[in-house]
């Protein structure tokens, strides 16, 4: 019962320090039970507990990695083109390659909104953009979208129309995808460094 109880504990998702704490508690519980068992049974229980717990931790880490990748690619709202920010990094690379190949003008537009208006604004963005353009949730107050146009003048008109439609923003920034260095892009730092973006409008 001791072995299977600790195996179940180690199969749960947990951080490294929690794993270390549980390992210490498992060792203490084994030490407390050891005097009541014959010497060969003590080593057998120790070996079984160690092997099963290591396998449980490895399996839990594998499942966390798989589930994390699935969550990053999953649409945040079923039926809507709203994706996690990890998907934006992949889409930027793909769209930058396509723009160079086909001569398309593409812009990354970032909106900063009030926290309670995030999902309402995301829904408005989905309605305003084309069906092949996605919306991304960067954090609890920022959204982004990639707009594709035939020329820079058309991109300007689309951007202005989008900004006028989304009236509940507090700030908006944009940058042409061709100006983004994809190979050295750290999305978290890119979001924080507002000075790297061209300010479009604030209210």
């Amino acid at each position: 019962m001791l072995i299977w109880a600790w195996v179940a504990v180690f199969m749960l998702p947990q951080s490294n320090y929690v794993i270390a704490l549980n390992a210490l508690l498992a060792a203490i519980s084994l030490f407390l039970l050891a005097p009541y068992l014959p010497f060969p049974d003590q080593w057998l229980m120790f070996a079984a507990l160690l092997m099963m717990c290591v396998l449980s931790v490895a399996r839990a880490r594998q499942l966390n990695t798989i589930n994390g990748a699935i969550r990053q690619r999953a649409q945040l709202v079923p039926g809507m083109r709203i994706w996690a920010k990890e998907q934006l990094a992949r889409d930027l690379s793909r769209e930058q390659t396509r723009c160079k190949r086909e001569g398309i003008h593409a812009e990354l537009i970032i909106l900063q909104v009030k926290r309670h208006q995030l999902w309402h604004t995301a829904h408005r963005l989905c309605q305003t953009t084309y069906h092949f353009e996605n919306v991304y949730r960067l954090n609890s107050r920022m959204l982004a979208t990639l707009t594709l146009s035939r020329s820079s003048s058309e991109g300007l008109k689309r951007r202005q129309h989008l900004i006028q439609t989304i009236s509940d923003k507090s700030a908006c920034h944009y940058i042409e995808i061709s100006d983004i260095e994809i190979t050295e892009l750290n999305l978290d730092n890119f979001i924080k460094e507002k000075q790297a973006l061209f300010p479009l409008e604030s209210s």
Side-chain angles (χ1 to χ4, degrees):
M1 291 295 294
L2 173 70
I3 293 175
W4 290 113
W6 282 113
V7 167
V9 169
F10 281 104
M11 288 184 68
L12 299 173
Q14 50 197 305
S15 57
N16 291 333
Y17 74 90
V18 176
I19 292 176
L21 176 62
N22 287 333
L24 177 62
L25 294 175
I28 292 174
S29 63
L30 185 62
F31 176 77
L32 294 176
L33 282 178
Y36 301 97
L37 299 172
F39 181 75
D41 292 346
Q42 294 178 12
W43 284 103
L44 180 61
M45 178 175 286
F46 172 77
L49 181 62
L50 178 63
M51 180 182 65
M52 296 296 291
C53 288
V54 169
L55 290 176
S56 297
V57 171
R59 183 60 175 171
R61 291 293 179 87
Q62 183 183 21
L63 291 176
N64 284 341
T65 301
I66 295 173
N67 292 335
I70 293 174
R71 285 194 298 269
Q72 290 176 2
R73 293 191 63 84
Q75 289 175 295
L76 299 181
V77 179
M80 296 181 63
R81 295 172 283 107
I82 305 176
W83 300 79
K85 68 178 181 181
E86 289 79 8
Q87 183 64 31
L88 173 59
R90 291 185 283 265
D91 289 352
L92 277 172
S93 178
R94 185 185 68 245
E95 295 300 340
Q96 189 178 75
T97 301
R98 186 166 71 167
C99 289
K100 291 179 180 178
R101 183 178 65 247
E102 301 178 8
I104 298 174
H105 179 80
E107 294 179 351
L108 171 65
I109 300 177
I110 297 179
L111 298 172
Q112 183 174 352
V113 300
K114 296 179 181 178
R115 193 183 303 270
H116 67 277
Q117 295 175 333
L118 180 80
W119 295 111
H120 173 70
T121 305
H123 182 70
R124 295 278 298 280
L125 273 175
C126 288
Q127 293 177 327
T128 305
T129 53
Y130 295 134
H131 69 277
F132 51 83
E133 297 172 336
N134 294 324
V135 176
Y136 309 89
R137 178 188 180 275
L138 303 183
N139 54 42
S140 61
R141 293 194 59 191
M142 298 184 74
L143 296 166
T145 185
L146 292 174
T147 60
L148 305 176
S149 308
R150 288 187 290 267
S151 63
S152 57
S153 59
E154 180 181 328
L156 173 61
K157 293 178 181 178
R158 290 204 59 208
R159 189 192 326 133
Q160 292 175 340
H161 173 69
L162 186 147
I163 298 306
Q164 292 173 358
T165 303
I166 310 299
S167 59
D168 50 4
K169 66 188 181 305
S170 58
C172 180
H173 308 268
Y174 81 95
I175 185 172
E176 293 186 17
I177 292 181
S178 58
D179 295 332
I180 301 176
E181 188 61 44
I182 300 295
T183 57
E184 301 177 0
L185 177 63
N186 183 309
L187 196 55
D188 291 329
N189 293 338
F190 182 78
I191 295 171
K192 293 177 182 178
E193 294 174 358
K194 300 290 186 62
Q195 66 272 19
L197 303 176
F198 301 107
L200 176 66
E201 185 175 332
S202 298
S203 60

